[in-house]
Amino acid sequence: MLDAVDSFPFSDMSPTVVIGGCDSGVMNRVLPTGATFADLIAQVADSARNHGAFVSKVALLTNAWRNAGFITGREKASIQACSAHTRWSWLPWPW
């Protein structure tokens, strides 16, 4: 969805959240800001200084999404598992 308030006008509209080739199986939802889950994960990857920082930032995102009711605990675990099992060498993005 593209409009005047879209924070990511070129959003990753993949059907599921994929991190470094790991398909989490979690629907890549569009948030009210216009960002998708994948957009926000890419954003934290761009700002992470190493793999541990990336995994921590993904954990913060997924905790917030879980608390907001956007994802289930199982979906949270799946996204976090993909972030933990990615190889840092393929960063920076694009995916």
XYZ file of all heavy atoms in Angstrom:
721
model
N 0.848 -1.167 0.000
C 0.000 0.000 0.000
C 0.899 1.238 0.000
O 1.775 1.382 0.823
C -0.891 -0.033 1.241
C -1.718 1.186 1.419
S -2.698 1.148 2.932
C -3.759 -0.211 2.611
N 0.686 2.127 -0.930
C 1.485 3.330 -1.056
C 0.580 4.548 -0.934
O -0.403 4.672 -1.649
C 2.205 3.349 -2.402
C 3.039 4.568 -2.740
C 4.178 4.727 -1.737
C 3.609 4.452 -4.138
N 0.934 5.425 0.003
C 0.187 6.667 0.144
C 1.110 7.722 0.738
O 2.300 7.479 0.931
C -1.086 6.487 0.964
C -0.821 5.980 2.374
O 0.238 6.298 2.936
O -1.678 5.276 2.913
N 0.587 8.875 1.047
C 1.393 10.000 1.521
C 2.054 9.741 2.868
O 3.034 10.389 3.201
C 0.523 11.255 1.601
N 1.549 8.813 3.652
C 2.125 8.564 4.969
C 2.920 7.263 5.032
O 3.324 6.832 6.097
C 1.045 8.559 6.077
C 0.387 9.922 6.191
C 0.020 7.477 5.837
N 3.158 6.641 3.885
C 3.882 5.376 3.842
C 5.351 5.615 4.180
O 6.053 6.327 3.471
C 3.752 4.749 2.456
C 4.187 3.308 2.419
O 4.923 2.885 3.321
O 3.792 2.606 1.486
N 5.816 5.007 5.265
C 7.206 5.186 5.684
C 8.174 4.377 4.829
O 9.376 4.614 4.866
C 7.360 4.813 7.163
O 6.909 3.494 7.390
N 7.678 3.442 4.039
C 8.494 2.618 3.146
C 7.791 2.544 1.784
O 7.086 1.581 1.500
C 8.673 1.203 3.718
C 9.546 1.160 4.939
C 9.009 1.394 6.194
C 10.903 0.891 4.838
C 9.799 1.357 7.323
C 11.707 0.860 5.957
C 11.155 1.098 7.207
N 7.984 3.546 0.937
C 7.256 3.563 -0.336
C 7.606 2.396 -1.263
O 6.860 2.089 -2.174
C 7.625 4.904 -0.951
C 8.847 5.337 -0.247
C 8.810 4.717 1.111
N 8.735 1.729 -1.039
C 9.124 0.578 -1.854
C 9.194 -0.666 -0.967
O 10.199 -1.363 -0.928
C 10.447 0.852 -2.558
C 10.380 2.066 -3.443
C 10.928 3.268 -3.026
C 9.721 2.023 -4.655
C 10.842 4.402 -3.820
C 9.624 3.146 -5.460
C 10.184 4.348 -5.040
N 8.121 -0.932 -0.276
C 8.052 -2.013 0.697
C 8.350 -3.377 0.079
O 8.053 -3.638 -1.079
C 6.663 -2.073 1.331
O 6.488 -1.009 2.216
N 8.909 -4.236 0.920
C 9.093 -5.639 0.577
C 7.730 -6.295 0.763
O 7.263 -6.458 1.886
C 10.128 -6.275 1.505
C 10.350 -7.749 1.242
O 9.505 -8.394 0.587
O 11.368 -8.274 1.716
N 7.098 -6.656 -0.332
C 5.753 -7.216 -0.280
C 5.756 -8.738 -0.420
O 4.752 -9.334 -0.820
C 4.887 -6.572 -1.371
C 4.730 -5.057 -1.216
S 4.067 -4.536 0.394
C 2.410 -5.166 0.296
N 6.863 -9.366 -0.078
C 6.922 -10.828 -0.094
C 5.803 -11.385 0.770
O 5.434 -10.776 1.782
C 8.266 -11.316 0.449
O 9.330 -10.800 -0.311
N 5.265 -12.544 0.414
C 4.137 -13.075 1.190
C 4.500 -13.488 2.609
O 3.667 -13.420 3.507
C 3.657 -14.274 0.374
C 4.764 -14.585 -0.565
C 5.557 -13.343 -0.748
N 5.740 -13.923 2.823
C 6.175 -14.322 4.158
C 7.482 -13.616 4.512
O 8.183 -13.099 3.640
C 6.390 -15.848 4.263
O 7.366 -16.242 3.296
C 5.089 -16.613 4.046
N 7.813 -13.616 5.794
C 9.059 -13.005 6.263
C 10.201 -13.977 5.977
O 10.230 -15.086 6.503
C 8.993 -12.688 7.773
C 10.323 -12.142 8.271
C 7.864 -11.709 8.062
N 11.130 -13.532 5.117
C 12.306 -14.321 4.757
C 13.530 -13.535 5.191
O 13.685 -12.368 4.838
C 12.354 -14.605 3.239
C 13.612 -15.379 2.873
C 11.101 -15.338 2.793
N 14.400 -14.189 5.952
C 15.621 -13.541 6.442
C 16.810 -14.366 5.965
O 16.993 -15.503 6.398
C 15.628 -13.435 7.978
C 14.410 -12.661 8.471
C 16.922 -12.767 8.456
C 14.233 -12.659 9.982
N 17.578 -13.787 5.051
C 18.770 -14.465 4.558
C 18.504 -15.843 3.987
O 19.280 -16.761 4.190
N 17.403 -16.003 3.288
C 17.059 -17.278 2.696
C 16.257 -18.194 3.609
O 15.769 -19.232 3.181
N 16.101 -17.841 4.861
C 15.310 -18.634 5.811
C 13.877 -18.115 5.795
O 13.622 -16.981 6.207
C 15.906 -18.527 7.214
S 14.950 -19.377 8.487
N 12.964 -18.938 5.311
C 11.556 -18.558 5.269
C 10.917 -18.914 6.606
O 10.782 -20.085 6.951
C 10.844 -19.278 4.135
C 9.425 -18.787 3.907
O 8.857 -18.126 4.802
O 8.887 -19.074 2.830
N 10.522 -17.896 7.337
C 9.929 -18.097 8.662
C 8.529 -18.704 8.586
O 8.036 -19.230 9.581
C 9.855 -16.766 9.412
O 8.901 -15.914 8.793
N 7.888 -18.579 7.434
C 6.509 -19.029 7.303
C 5.500 -18.060 7.884
O 4.302 -18.302 7.836
N 5.975 -16.946 8.411
C 5.103 -15.939 9.027
C 4.670 -14.943 7.960
O 5.505 -14.425 7.212
C 5.831 -15.209 10.177
C 4.956 -14.106 10.764
C 6.262 -16.196 11.246
N 3.369 -14.680 7.897
C 2.852 -13.723 6.936
C 3.537 -12.365 7.117
O 3.653 -11.862 8.237
C 1.344 -13.573 7.097
C 0.694 -12.800 5.978
S -1.105 -12.921 6.031
C -1.475 -11.540 7.102
N 3.981 -11.782 6.017
C 4.650 -10.482 6.025
C 3.590 -9.385 6.041
O 3.233 -8.824 5.016
C 5.548 -10.371 4.782
C 6.383 -9.118 4.775
O 6.702 -8.567 5.819
N 6.735 -8.672 3.587
N 3.081 -9.091 7.222
C 1.967 -8.166 7.371
C 2.382 -6.715 7.126
O 3.518 -6.336 7.371
C 1.383 -8.302 8.773
C 0.716 -9.641 9.007
C 0.341 -9.825 10.471
N -0.317 -11.090 10.712
C 0.318 -12.230 10.984
N 1.640 -12.269 11.030
N -0.355 -13.345 11.193
N 1.409 -5.916 6.690
C 1.593 -4.473 6.524
C 1.040 -3.798 7.768
O -0.109 -4.016 8.146
C 0.872 -3.942 5.268
C 1.053 -2.436 5.148
C 1.377 -4.655 4.019
N 1.881 -2.988 8.400
C 1.486 -2.273 9.609
C 0.809 -0.952 9.247
O 0.896 -0.497 8.102
C 2.725 -2.040 10.477
C 3.407 -3.336 10.945
C 4.766 -3.041 11.543
C 2.525 -4.060 11.933
N 0.148 -0.295 10.188
C -0.542 0.973 9.897
C 0.371 2.057 9.311
O -0.115 2.944 8.603
C -1.106 1.397 11.254
C -1.288 0.112 11.998
C -0.135 -0.758 11.553
N 1.662 1.989 9.570
C 2.608 2.976 9.028
C 2.916 2.749 7.559
O 3.557 3.579 6.925
C 3.937 2.903 9.790
O 4.498 1.589 9.599
C 3.770 3.205 11.259
N 2.474 1.611 7.012
C 2.794 1.265 5.631
C 3.995 0.348 5.532
O 4.295 -0.184 4.476
N 4.701 0.150 6.635
C 5.858 -0.741 6.660
C 5.396 -2.186 6.796
O 4.399 -2.460 7.457
C 6.773 -0.396 7.830
N 6.133 -3.087 6.171
C 5.876 -4.506 6.375
C 6.847 -5.012 7.440
O 7.833 -4.339 7.772
C 6.104 -5.315 5.087
O 7.492 -5.231 4.721
C 5.225 -4.821 3.949
N 6.574 -6.216 7.957
C 7.520 -6.822 8.901
C 8.905 -6.887 8.277
O 9.907 -6.568 8.914
C 7.078 -8.232 9.281
C 5.889 -8.314 10.201
C 5.309 -9.539 10.457
C 5.345 -7.208 10.823
C 4.218 -9.666 11.307
C 4.261 -7.310 11.680
C 3.702 -8.541 11.920
N 8.970 -7.304 6.999
C 10.270 -7.432 6.322
C 10.985 -6.091 6.212
O 12.210 -6.026 6.345
C 10.090 -8.064 4.946
N 10.243 -5.017 5.979
C 10.847 -3.678 5.920
C 11.547 -3.341 7.227
O 12.674 -2.837 7.238
C 9.787 -2.599 5.668
C 9.153 -2.664 4.300
O 9.784 -3.172 3.353
O 8.000 -2.191 4.182
N 10.869 -3.607 8.331
C 11.428 -3.248 9.634
C 12.609 -4.142 10.008
O 13.576 -3.669 10.624
C 10.335 -3.281 10.701
C 9.218 -2.258 10.476
C 8.157 -2.384 11.539
C 9.772 -0.842 10.431
N 12.554 -5.399 9.612
C 13.698 -6.276 9.867
C 14.897 -5.823 9.040
O 16.028 -5.788 9.536
C 13.329 -7.741 9.592
C 12.323 -8.216 10.647
C 14.577 -8.623 9.580
C 11.690 -9.560 10.364
N 14.670 -5.428 7.797
C 15.759 -4.907 6.964
C 16.340 -3.625 7.567
O 17.553 -3.412 7.557
C 15.267 -4.644 5.544
N 15.478 -2.795 8.113
C 15.927 -1.553 8.728
C 16.835 -1.824 9.930
O 17.875 -1.182 10.078
C 14.718 -0.722 9.148
C 15.067 0.639 9.695
C 13.818 1.441 10.021
O 12.946 0.974 10.754
N 13.720 2.631 9.455
N 16.462 -2.786 10.771
C 17.326 -3.075 11.922
C 18.616 -3.753 11.473
O 19.660 -3.545 12.083
C 16.622 -3.886 13.039
C 15.433 -3.141 13.591
C 16.264 -5.271 12.621
N 18.553 -4.511 10.390
C 19.784 -5.129 9.868
C 20.759 -4.060 9.395
O 21.970 -4.172 9.626
C 19.455 -6.088 8.726
N 20.236 -3.040 8.747
C 21.087 -1.956 8.261
C 21.784 -1.220 9.404
O 22.882 -0.708 9.226
C 20.268 -0.947 7.450
C 19.872 -1.471 6.083
O 20.493 -2.452 5.611
O 18.932 -0.906 5.493
N 21.156 -1.172 10.558
C 21.731 -0.421 11.676
C 22.508 -1.305 12.657
O 23.171 -0.776 13.551
C 20.625 0.328 12.431
O 19.760 -0.584 13.071
N 22.439 -2.615 12.492
C 23.132 -3.516 13.422
C 24.623 -3.564 13.105
O 25.013 -3.661 11.953
C 22.525 -4.908 13.339
N 25.435 -3.537 14.150
C 26.887 -3.543 13.947
C 27.472 -4.949 13.837
O 28.584 -5.126 13.388
C 27.572 -2.750 15.044
C 27.450 -3.340 16.419
C 28.013 -2.433 17.513
N 27.916 -3.060 18.811
C 26.813 -3.213 19.517
N 25.689 -2.750 19.049
N 26.826 -3.810 20.688
N 26.694 -5.957 14.251
C 27.146 -7.341 14.150
C 25.926 -8.264 14.263
O 24.804 -7.802 14.475
C 28.199 -7.665 15.220
C 27.696 -7.420 16.629
O 26.582 -7.779 16.986
N 28.521 -6.774 17.453
N 26.170 -9.557 14.126
C 25.071 -10.510 14.129
C 24.311 -10.514 15.458
O 23.080 -10.573 15.480
C 25.585 -11.917 13.806
C 24.498 -12.920 13.647
N 24.304 -13.938 14.534
C 23.524 -13.034 12.711
C 23.262 -14.652 14.147
N 22.773 -14.132 13.045
N 25.029 -10.440 16.558
C 24.374 -10.415 17.865
C 23.453 -9.224 18.023
O 22.344 -9.351 18.561
N 23.892 -8.064 17.548
C 23.054 -6.866 17.617
C 21.822 -7.027 16.734
O 20.716 -6.620 17.126
C 23.856 -5.635 17.199
N 21.994 -7.633 15.567
C 20.858 -7.883 14.679
C 19.828 -8.785 15.357
O 18.636 -8.475 15.385
C 21.353 -8.505 13.371
C 20.250 -8.999 12.478
C 19.334 -8.127 11.916
C 20.132 -10.348 12.194
C 18.312 -8.591 11.094
C 19.128 -10.822 11.374
C 18.216 -9.941 10.823
N 20.286 -9.889 15.915
C 19.374 -10.834 16.579
C 18.651 -10.147 17.746
O 17.443 -10.334 17.931
C 20.136 -12.094 17.039
C 19.261 -13.000 17.893
C 20.674 -12.860 15.836
N 19.375 -9.333 18.504
C 18.749 -8.604 19.624
C 17.682 -7.636 19.140
O 16.600 -7.535 19.740
C 19.809 -7.843 20.416
O 20.666 -8.737 21.068
N 17.969 -6.930 18.059
C 16.997 -5.973 17.525
C 15.770 -6.670 16.957
O 14.646 -6.181 17.107
C 17.656 -5.082 16.474
C 18.654 -4.106 17.077
C 19.314 -3.260 16.014
C 20.275 -2.285 16.663
N 20.535 -1.139 15.803
N 15.971 -7.819 16.327
C 14.826 -8.592 15.835
C 13.991 -9.076 17.021
O 12.759 -9.059 16.970
C 15.275 -9.763 14.935
C 14.111 -10.701 14.632
C 15.875 -9.230 13.629
N 14.641 -9.468 18.097
C 13.916 -9.893 19.300
C 13.060 -8.744 19.846
O 11.906 -8.966 20.245
C 14.890 -10.395 20.362
N 13.602 -7.543 19.856
C 12.813 -6.389 20.317
C 11.597 -6.156 19.424
O 10.494 -5.895 19.921
C 13.692 -5.133 20.356
C 14.768 -5.094 21.435
C 15.675 -3.882 21.243
C 14.138 -5.069 22.817
N 11.803 -6.241 18.103
C 10.683 -6.078 17.174
C 9.613 -7.135 17.409
O 8.424 -6.817 17.523
C 11.163 -6.199 15.722
C 11.768 -4.987 15.043
C 12.237 -5.366 13.643
C 10.772 -3.853 14.966
N 10.037 -8.392 17.451
C 9.053 -9.465 17.577
C 8.347 -9.435 18.939
O 7.178 -9.781 19.018
C 9.683 -10.846 17.316
O 10.784 -11.060 18.200
C 10.146 -10.966 15.870
N 9.047 -9.000 19.973
C 8.388 -8.832 21.273
C 7.289 -7.770 21.179
O 6.183 -7.964 21.699
C 9.396 -8.442 22.355
C 10.264 -9.595 22.785
O 9.901 -10.756 22.638
N 11.438 -9.284 23.308
N 7.598 -6.671 20.517
C 6.608 -5.599 20.364
C 5.423 -6.084 19.522
O 4.261 -5.800 19.860
C 7.252 -4.374 19.723
N 5.704 -6.812 18.440
C 4.619 -7.319 17.599
C 3.752 -8.318 18.359
O 2.542 -8.326 18.216
C 5.175 -7.965 16.336
C 5.883 -7.008 15.422
C 5.740 -5.654 15.364
C 6.856 -7.342 14.442
N 6.571 -5.123 14.402
C 7.265 -6.141 13.814
C 7.434 -8.538 14.020
C 8.213 -6.104 12.798
C 8.377 -8.499 13.001
C 8.758 -7.291 12.401
N 4.383 -9.152 19.170
C 3.645 -10.139 19.973
C 2.767 -9.416 21.001
O 1.588 -9.731 21.158
C 4.635 -11.080 20.669
C 4.034 -12.004 21.700
C 3.228 -13.115 21.041
N 2.872 -14.146 21.993
C 1.757 -14.146 22.720
N 0.900 -13.165 22.625
N 1.502 -15.129 23.549
N 3.344 -8.439 21.679
C 2.595 -7.682 22.689
C 1.439 -6.904 22.077
O 0.418 -6.695 22.733
C 3.519 -6.753 23.458
C 4.493 -7.508 24.341
O 4.267 -8.659 24.699
N 5.604 -6.868 24.682
N 1.589 -6.468 20.830
C 0.529 -5.724 20.142
C -0.518 -6.648 19.525
O -1.541 -6.180 19.018
C 1.141 -4.835 19.052
N -0.261 -7.953 19.564
C -1.205 -8.899 19.001
C -1.071 -9.112 17.504
O -1.936 -9.727 16.879
N 0.020 -8.624 16.913
C 0.233 -8.800 15.470
C 0.686 -10.213 15.124
O 0.443 -10.680 14.012
C 1.271 -7.810 14.932
C 0.855 -6.369 15.001
C 1.758 -5.392 15.367
C -0.435 -5.974 14.686
C 1.393 -4.061 15.429
C -0.814 -4.646 14.739
C 0.108 -3.688 15.118
N 1.398 -10.873 16.045
C 1.887 -12.227 15.809
C 1.662 -13.073 17.062
O 1.492 -12.537 18.154
C 3.388 -12.269 15.414
C 4.271 -11.648 16.497
C 3.620 -11.627 14.061
C 5.772 -11.777 16.249
N 1.722 -14.374 16.871
C 1.605 -15.300 17.993
C 2.996 -15.602 18.551
O 4.019 -15.247 17.946
C 0.987 -16.630 17.526
O 1.904 -17.272 16.624
C -0.369 -16.422 16.861
N 3.032 -16.270 19.663
C 4.309 -16.692 20.232
C 5.064 -17.618 19.298
O 6.285 -17.541 19.165
N 4.349 -18.493 18.620
C 4.981 -19.420 17.670
C 5.585 -18.657 16.485
O 6.684 -18.967 16.024
C 3.959 -20.436 17.183
C 4.531 -21.518 16.296
C 3.461 -22.510 15.892
N 2.862 -23.154 17.047
C 3.146 -24.376 17.445
N 4.001 -25.103 16.777
N 2.550 -24.881 18.498
N 4.863 -17.655 15.991
C 5.384 -16.840 14.883
C 6.620 -16.049 15.328
O 7.595 -15.923 14.577
C 4.301 -15.906 14.360
C 3.201 -16.627 13.616
C 2.043 -15.720 13.268
O 1.647 -14.870 14.097
O 1.506 -15.882 12.153
N 6.566 -15.524 16.528
C 7.707 -14.796 17.096
C 8.932 -15.704 17.121
O 10.028 -15.312 16.680
C 7.351 -14.325 18.508
C 8.465 -13.670 19.277
C 7.946 -13.329 20.687
C 8.970 -12.750 21.599
N 10.119 -13.581 21.858
N 8.756 -16.919 17.598
C 9.869 -17.872 17.681
C 10.418 -18.209 16.299
O 11.639 -18.335 16.122
C 9.410 -19.137 18.391
N 9.556 -18.325 15.321
C 9.985 -18.655 13.968
C 10.823 -17.538 13.351
O 11.873 -17.792 12.742
C 8.765 -18.945 13.090
O 9.164 -19.326 11.806
N 10.391 -16.292 13.518
C 11.158 -15.154 12.995
C 12.497 -15.069 13.714
O 13.545 -14.876 13.092
C 10.371 -13.839 13.134
C 9.133 -13.849 12.231
C 11.262 -12.629 12.803
C 8.173 -12.694 12.460
N 12.484 -15.208 15.022
C 13.723 -15.124 15.790
C 14.680 -16.246 15.424
O 15.895 -16.032 15.357
C 13.419 -15.110 17.281
C 12.851 -13.775 17.727
C 12.664 -13.668 19.216
O 11.595 -13.304 19.657
N 13.673 -13.987 19.993
N 14.162 -17.439 15.171
C 15.026 -18.550 14.765
C 15.703 -18.243 13.435
O 16.908 -18.500 13.276
C 14.222 -19.842 14.670
N 14.964 -17.688 12.502
C 15.573 -17.320 11.215
C 16.654 -16.257 11.406
O 17.715 -16.333 10.798
C 14.515 -16.827 10.230
S 13.616 -18.149 9.400
N 16.397 -15.279 12.256
C 17.407 -14.227 12.465
C 18.664 -14.802 13.108
O 19.781 -14.428 12.759
C 16.844 -13.072 13.298
O 16.683 -13.441 14.656
N 18.483 -15.745 14.013
C 19.632 -16.337 14.705
C 20.438 -17.253 13.799
O 21.654 -17.377 13.966
C 19.151 -17.114 15.923
N 19.786 -17.884 12.831
C 20.475 -18.844 11.979
C 21.003 -18.259 10.680
O 21.576 -18.977 9.868
C 19.554 -20.034 11.685
C 19.297 -20.847 12.899
N 18.103 -20.788 13.583
C 20.076 -21.703 13.590
C 18.165 -21.587 14.630
N 19.353 -22.144 14.667
N 20.817 -16.973 10.471
C 21.357 -16.353 9.262
C 22.854 -16.190 9.391
O 23.399 -16.106 10.484
C 20.744 -14.964 9.002
O 21.020 -14.132 10.123
C 19.273 -15.033 8.738
N 23.505 -16.137 8.261
C 24.943 -15.870 8.242
C 25.130 -14.369 8.094
O 24.625 -13.767 7.160
C 25.599 -16.595 7.079
C 25.603 -18.089 7.275
C 26.246 -18.775 6.130
N 27.253 -17.909 5.523
C 28.097 -18.278 4.612
N 28.072 -19.484 4.155
N 28.974 -17.434 4.105
N 25.859 -13.790 9.004
C 26.064 -12.336 8.991
C 26.782 -11.889 7.730
O 26.635 -10.772 7.279
C 26.843 -11.936 10.235
C 26.939 -10.457 10.400
C 28.056 -9.699 10.269
C 25.887 -9.536 10.704
N 27.762 -8.382 10.480
C 26.441 -8.256 10.749
C 24.531 -9.687 10.935
C 25.682 -7.123 11.023
C 23.781 -8.561 11.210
C 24.360 -7.301 11.253
N 27.519 -12.758 7.089
C 28.320 -12.384 5.920
C 27.475 -11.917 4.743
O 27.984 -11.231 3.872
C 29.200 -13.554 5.490
O 28.397 -14.653 5.122
N 26.194 -12.283 4.699
C 25.381 -11.855 3.562
C 24.858 -10.444 3.721
O 24.286 -9.882 2.814
C 24.253 -12.828 3.271
C 23.331 -13.099 4.402
C 23.410 -14.131 5.263
C 22.214 -12.329 4.817
N 22.404 -14.048 6.190
C 21.656 -12.961 5.944
C 21.618 -11.166 4.346
C 20.542 -12.470 6.597
C 20.510 -10.681 5.010
C 19.988 -11.332 6.121
N 25.060 -9.836 4.871
C 24.677 -8.444 5.056
C 25.756 -7.537 4.482
O 26.887 -7.950 4.383
C 24.490 -8.153 6.544
C 23.319 -8.871 7.196
C 23.322 -8.645 8.686
C 22.002 -8.434 6.596
N 25.546 -6.326 4.104
C 24.282 -5.601 4.190
C 23.284 -6.061 3.131
O 23.635 -6.784 2.220
C 24.695 -4.154 3.955
C 25.873 -4.251 3.077
C 26.580 -5.527 3.487
N 22.061 -5.581 3.304
C 20.972 -5.920 2.413
C 21.267 -5.379 1.036
O 22.133 -4.560 0.881
C 19.664 -5.345 2.977
C 19.473 -5.747 4.379
C 19.729 -4.965 5.475
C 19.051 -7.006 4.889
N 19.478 -5.675 6.604
C 19.061 -6.922 6.286
C 18.654 -8.192 4.300
C 18.695 -7.965 7.096
C 18.284 -9.228 5.108
C 18.306 -9.112 6.496
N 20.658 -5.701 -0.018
C 19.354 -6.326 -0.057
C 19.440 -7.826 0.209
O 20.477 -8.435 0.076
C 18.862 -6.055 -1.482
C 20.098 -5.953 -2.280
C 21.130 -5.365 -1.348
N 18.304 -8.376 0.530
C 18.200 -9.771 0.907
C 18.487 -10.596 -0.293
O 18.253 -11.607 -0.555
C 16.819 -10.091 1.419
C 16.260 -9.075 2.317
C 16.033 -7.770 2.065
C 15.830 -9.264 3.648
N 15.488 -7.161 3.129
C 15.348 -8.064 4.119
C 15.796 -10.360 4.480
C 14.845 -7.908 5.385
C 15.285 -10.203 5.732
C 14.819 -8.990 6.187
